[in-house]
Amino acid sequence: MSQVKEIELKDLPVNPFEMIGKDWMLVTAKKGDQVNTMTASWGGMGVLWGSDVVFVFIRQSRFTKEFIDAADHFSLSFLPESEKKAMGYLGRTSGRDEDKIAKVGYEVLMDGDTPYFAQAETTLICRKLSRHFLGQEGMIDEEIVPKWYAGADAENYHDLYVAKIEKVLVKED
């Protein structure tokens, strides 16, 4: 079994546009004794309020949102390309309906109370700093709402979470 080691954020060679937008990530949190995750490709990394942060966007209807709201911390796990099919399943299937983590065979590890996956090449352990509702009234570009919030998503806007990166874990082979 592979081990993980902690590294400094400055030592992580990342391109957040590739890492998040193309390769995707798993956003994972714990509520009570239950862990849930979802696949995401909307987010970023930067500096805010004097801290190295990530920001992620979670639709109001997502089951994982309940877990993120209940926890102080969540993880962002980045997996190899070979896991893309499983990550697609984790993004399409709700944890309300089944134990989707067990179904794809992922092993949940814990950093304190923060869950992440043994299959991840890189994991960011993040502490929530803020949450902001992104509704129609805040949209300046007139093309956003009809493109991203039409039909079934008409009232299913996102919350933006900003979180401090507290730890970076990478897989050791």
Side-chain angles (χ1 to χ4, degrees), residues 118-155:
Q119 290 77 8
E121 293 179 327
T122 303
T123 300
L124 305 178
I125 304 296
C126 307
R127 181 174 53 85
K128 288 186 312 187
L129 298 176
S130 67
R131 181 185 78 217
H132 308 273
F133 175 69
L134 299 178
Q136 183 173 358
E137 65 281 352
M139 305 299 174
I140 296 169
D141 185 325
E142 294 176 2
E143 294 179 15
I144 293 173
V145 172
K147 182 174 182 179
W148 298 103
Y149 300 100
D153 290 326
E155 298 299 322

Side-chain angles (χ1 to χ4, degrees), residues 14 38 52 60 66 69 93 110 114 121 124 145 151 171:
V14 299
M38 63 174 270
D52 295 324
Q60 302 250 314
E66 295 176 24
D69 288 343
T93 305
M110 299 296 292
T114 308
E121 293 179 327
L124 305 178
V145 172
K171 186 179 270 190

